[in-house]
Amino acid sequence: QVQLQESGGQSVQAGGSLRLSCAGSGRTVSSYAMAWFRQAPGKDREFVAGITYGVGNSRYADSVQGRFTISGDLARNTIHLQMNNLKPEDTAVYYCARKISSNTNWGSWGQGTQVTVSS
């Protein structure tokens, strides 16, 4: 079973940039898709960005479109999230997850990495 681990979260000022990473370990089975989610205090977990194997399509939440870029190697269960022009509303715990096929749920959730953006 693949275990995912996020890293790269820290405190930054508004307008700054961060790069998050998510790496898989354990029994390596390629992912069909991987994604970043985030959860702010008192709010539900929300989708941020995702990437799908093969076609290489990436998809973004409207709130981060044009500021965040997802990249990675799904065969190695590794993705990154380049976050530019960060805003205080981007403050959250960021999680990565994966799908092993198109008709499975997101799983193998990591423990998250905290991103704090101050104004």
Side-chain angles (χ1 to χ4, degrees):
Q1 184 175 354
V2 173
Q3 303 295 322
L4 299 179
Q5 179 66 55
E6 305 89 344
S7 63
Q10 59 180 285
S11 296
V12 296
Q13 294 213 334
S17 297
L18 282 176
R19 179 178 167 87
L20 304 184
S21 294
C22 170
S25 62
R27 184 175 180 178
T28 54
V29 176
S30 298
S31 299
Y32 166 78
M34 294 185 72
W36 289 97
F37 293 78
R38 67 186 181 187
Q39 187 167 19
K43 295 188 178 181
D44 293 333
R45 187 175 297 184
E46 64 174 357
F47 173 85
V48 175
I51 188 167
T52 304
Y53 177 82
V55 181
N57 280 346
S58 56
R59 187 165 61 92
Y60 299 92
D62 290 344
S63 59
V64 306
Q65 182 75 47
R67 299 189 297 122
F68 291 10
T69 303
I70 188 171
S71 62
D73 183 346
L74 298 188
R76 297 186 177 185
N77 295 305
T78 300
I79 56 172
H80 309 281
L81 186 67
Q82 178 66 41
M83 305 187 295
N84 297 329
N85 190 22
L86 283 161
K87 303 176 180 181
E89 51 264 43
D90 295 319
T91 295
V93 178
Y94 284 71
Y95 301 88
C96 62
R98 66 190 285 261
K99 284 189 177 185
I100 58 173
S101 68
S102 61
N103 58 358
T104 57
N105 294 324
W106 292 107
S108 300
W109 294 91
Q111 294 194 349
T113 186
Q114 176 70 49
V115 173
T116 303
V117 185
S118 58
S119 57

